[in-house]
Amino acid sequence: MTDGLMVDEALRALAALEAAWKDDDEALAALAVRGPAEQPLAAVVARYGEHAVDTLMALAFGLRSSMTDAELAELTDAVSSNIGARMSALLTRTLRAWGATAGDDLDVVKVIAHAVIDAMRAVTEEPAKTDVLPLLATFRTYALSDTP
């Protein structure tokens, strides 16, 4: 996965997003259990949120792997001049900082998860009508397809 996220971390984050959306405290508590080398759930959810928003913004602005340097420069200028893109970057930096300091506080995980879900929905055509569970399933499929 990109952005330093491993596939298992992305799947753990997506499961946490789903559990938070369903208000399933038992599932969140199970996902918060971690080994010594694993990050707290709040940090993983925030990092995944950053990855998801970055991906959605790239898609919204038409980023393609086949772009020339000139096209990439033009796209970079368009993104940097767009207030929505700048606010998205600010949101993801804030969530990441908050997630890094939240530890295992499941109430904070829920708030971060809902902010990530709202950010994911915000770039869809009709945010208020976007069904969250199918959206998360799409991201899960994407995470699984990104395996080596």
Side-chain angles (χ1 to χ4, degrees), residues 134-146:
L135 179 65
L136 296 177
T138 299
F139 274 85
R140 187 174 294 109
T141 299
Y142 173 74
L144 290 169
S145 70
D146 202 26

Side-chain angles (χ1 to χ4, degrees), residues 123-141:
V123 297
T124 63
E125 284 187 33
E126 296 185 66
K129 295 182 180 179
T130 299
D131 289 329
V132 171
L133 297 179
L135 179 65
L136 296 177
T138 299
F139 274 85
R140 187 174 294 109
T141 299

Side-chain angles (χ1 to χ4, degrees), residues 2-73:
T2 57
D3 301 328
L5 278 172
M6 303 301 291
V7 173
D8 59 333
E9 291 175 314
L11 295 175
R12 182 177 172 219
L14 284 160
L17 292 173
E18 185 174 329
W21 183 254
K22 291 179 175 180
D23 203 24
D24 186 343
D25 291 341
E26 191 174 311
L28 271 178
L31 290 163
V33 175
R34 59 188 165 103
E38 292 180 312
Q39 290 191 338
L41 188 57
V44 173
V45 170
R47 285 179 55 227
Y48 184 79
E50 182 177 18
H51 166 74
V53 169
D54 286 351
T55 299
L56 289 169
M57 291 305 293
L59 292 172
F61 279 93
L63 180 67
R64 300 177 320 277
S65 61
S66 62
M67 294 179 101
T68 66
D69 288 343
E71 290 171 323
L72 283 173

